[in-house]
Amino acid sequence: MALPKLATSPSFHALVGAHSFMLGQVAWHYRPTFFRPVPHQRTLSGTPRRRDEKQQQRPPAQPTTSPEDSPNFSLPDGWEDNPQYSNITQFSELPHRFFGYNQHIKINEDFKESLRQILWQFRAPIRYAFAYGSGVFGQSGSASKTSAGLPEGQSLSPHPDPPKAVEEWQKGGAKVIDFIFGVSHTQHWHSLNLGQNPHHYSGLRYLPYSSAAISYVQDGFGAGVYFNPYITVNGVMIKYGVVNLNTLANDLNDWTTLYLAGRLQKPVKILRDDPRMRLANQINLLSALRTAMLMLPEKFTERQLYEKITALSYMGDPRMMSIPGLGASENMSKVSNIVGAQLPGFRQLYVPLIENLPNIEFTDARTPREPAWEKEDAIRHTGSNVELAADVLGGRDGLELTQDLDPVKRGNMVRRLPSAFRKKVYYQYKKKFGIPGSAFDPILEASEDEGKEGEMRRREGGDFERKIAAQEDLDQMIAKCVNGTVAWPATSQTIKSFFTAGIGRAWRYYADKRKKGKEGAKKKAAEEVAKPEAVVQEAKEKEKKE
């Protein structure tokens, strides 16, 4: 009697059904090969062997190595003229996943973490941030200050209580660490930061609607940057500048002031990245490389190239101008000192770009041929004040390069200069060639990056650009345009500092800079005296040729 009752039980039928389903699935998974579908048919799931077949049909996967260990990838054709990259918001929208990783210079991990911990102390949102200057990357010839000989408890270090990683990195020659913070909404950021850190600000914080007043001063004067110097965070003395991301992007793309674009043309440590800024800075680095090439002869060394690039942001800077009886507030050898200590860092920035340009190449027999070779010759020093190691590939001057002086290719480089800067070059040659306004207007219209209907034009040089590229005074004209771009923003930014930082801190900053300038001038004079007369004469002749 029990069997008929079991046969009519719903539970029994459910159990039998479940077992039948499981047996059917097992039979389907392990069916003979001739019952399997052909490769192009879809299946719900596959055996390990089938998954292997699928894997073989897929294109090779991208490397899973970290960005800093990955090889350089070629830049896709036409990416500079592609409008789809103009307003990106995600890293996945960049031309490829490794795009712009040449901008991420390797430094000591503990030191990098100490810098990031400083950022975390700010509650106001920071979208993009980098650390720069001699407190992060050393300069050859800079005096290494120590506390030796001072009374107990005294130190020349500006840091009240720095982490060990900062002490180790700066190796006794402790310096203020400079930051730039890129923010989305200027007034909102200052409003939040005033609430958290009112002591960072000058007397402007006492004004009615202080955040609005501060943001107006930041965006309306100078280069659009608001600096707070001599601020202690986590026991480290820092100076930080705040800039709106739109202002930064415009400077990187168009060279409106070259104030921040010039800083990013040198090695910096990016601590918080943003896809739009990474794309814009890659354009900025390419523009700096092309501009330097237009100012150089057919053959030159890496050091000459990087010094040309570094000098761009100092042309017209009032701090580099010598005042009779006072001298300059910056070390006149600053450009040489920066490149002298950071040549491997410059390589990491520019070698991937050099290898992607059609009209420049390394012609030195010592040049390695394997991908990403410049990373193997990375920064050798372990702190920010140690001289460049003698075993850097190519030595002090680096490797030799050659550029193609074909007028068509050089005309294309002129056409691809940043738009605001390019117009200044055009106007200089308008005056030189005596072109009337009626004939010059079509030239300007043809040089616009966007057509009348908003389409992006491919930037190729025409007759006017080729004529410019063939001029012997092109390097002088470019230098004149750089001076005109840098001079006023840098001067007004210096004047603005007396309001933003306060008179006391601004004067202290100015005095520190002038002291460094005097020390650099004395050291250079002592070196000149120590040189044999023949060496001095040879250097002068070389300088005249250049």
Side-chain angles (χ1 to χ4, degrees), residues 122 179 181 189 193 200 226-228 231 238-242:
F122 290 85
F179 291 88
F181 298 160
W189 196 91
N193 199 44
H200 289 188
Y226 191 102
F227 281 105
N228 283 327
I231 305 300
I238 72 169
K239 178 186 76 175
Y240 67 91
V242 184

Side-chain angles (χ1 to χ4, degrees), residues 233-300:
V233 180
N234 286 359
V236 178
M237 183 73 76
I238 72 169
K239 178 186 76 175
Y240 67 91
V242 184
V243 63
N244 188 281
L245 287 177
N246 292 331
T247 302
L248 178 57
N250 289 337
D251 196 28
L252 293 173
N253 285 311
D254 301 330
W255 285 12
T256 51
T257 67
L258 260 174
Y259 192 82
L260 292 180
R263 280 162 172 75
L264 282 161
Q265 289 162 7
K266 302 181 279 290
V268 303
K269 184 54 193 175
I270 296 172
L271 302 166
R272 197 167 292 174
D273 208 352
D274 176 86
R276 184 162 68 111
M277 296 306 106
R278 187 187 295 184
L279 183 76
N281 194 34
Q282 200 77 332
I283 293 172
N284 173 47
L285 294 172
L286 269 171
S287 298
L289 177 58
R290 289 178 175 131
T291 303
M293 288 169 60
L294 289 170
M295 301 174 76
L296 286 167
E298 181 180 9
K299 296 181 179 181
F300 48 90

Side-chain angles (χ1 to χ4, degrees), residues 67-128:
E68 295 177 348
D69 296 328
S70 62
N72 299 317
F73 279 71
S74 297
L75 297 173
D77 292 336
W79 71 272
E80 291 179 86
D81 305 317
N82 193 333
Q84 79 178 56
Y85 298 129
S86 58
N87 291 303
I88 64 171
T89 58
Q90 304 291 331
F91 287 103
S92 59
E93 296 171 346
L94 290 167
H96 57 70
R97 63 180 292 201
F98 294 107
F99 181 88
Y101 279 140
N102 57 306
Q103 301 171 25
H104 286 265
I105 307 298
K106 293 184 72 172
I107 63 173
N108 177 272
E109 287 296 321
D110 292 335
F111 180 64
K112 180 174 72 174
E113 185 58 29
S114 295
L115 299 181
R116 284 179 170 168
Q117 288 297 324
I118 290 173
L119 295 187
W120 284 113
Q121 300 306 309
F122 290 85
R123 295 175 194 159
I126 300 169
R127 287 277 304 278
Y128 182 74

Side-chain angles (χ1 to χ4, degrees), residues 469-513:
Q471 299 300 305
E472 292 185 358
D473 65 347
L474 180 57
D475 60 332
Q476 300 169 30
M477 286 293 197
I478 288 178
K480 187 175 181 179
C481 292
V482 172
N483 270 279
T485 302
V486 172
W488 175 242
T491 302
S492 55
Q493 192 71 40
T494 300
I495 296 170
K496 186 171 77 172
S497 68
F498 285 89
F499 297 92
T500 60
I503 295 176
R505 287 192 296 184
W507 181 257
R508 177 184 172 187
Y509 182 77
Y510 173 78
D512 286 348
K513 284 287 185 182

Side-chain angles (χ1 to χ4, degrees), residues 257-362:
T257 67
L258 260 174
Y259 192 82
L260 292 180
R263 280 162 172 75
L264 282 161
Q265 289 162 7
K266 302 181 279 290
V268 303
K269 184 54 193 175
I270 296 172
L271 302 166
R272 197 167 292 174
D273 208 352
D274 176 86
R276 184 162 68 111
M277 296 306 106
R278 187 187 295 184
L279 183 76
N281 194 34
Q282 200 77 332
I283 293 172
N284 173 47
L285 294 172
L286 269 171
S287 298
L289 177 58
R290 289 178 175 131
T291 303
M293 288 169 60
L294 289 170
M295 301 174 76
L296 286 167
E298 181 180 9
K299 296 181 179 181
F300 48 90
T301 65
E302 278 188 287
R303 189 182 181 95
Q304 289 174 312
L305 173 64
Y306 303 147
E307 286 188 354
K308 280 291 182 188
I309 291 172
T310 303
L312 293 177
S313 59
Y314 292 108
M315 293 179 183
D317 191 328
R319 297 174 302 173
M320 300 296 288
M321 297 178 183
S322 182
I323 302 172
L326 294 175
S329 60
E330 277 284 9
N331 187 346
M332 300 301 287
S333 302
K334 191 176 184 71
V335 170
S336 178
N337 290 344
I338 289 173
V339 178
Q342 300 175 36
L343 192 143
F346 279 95
R347 274 184 178 153
Q348 292 181 66
L349 278 177
Y350 291 103
V351 167
L353 305 182
I354 290 171
E355 292 179 341
N356 276 275
L357 287 183
N359 54 331
I360 181 174
E361 62 178 346
F362 285 94

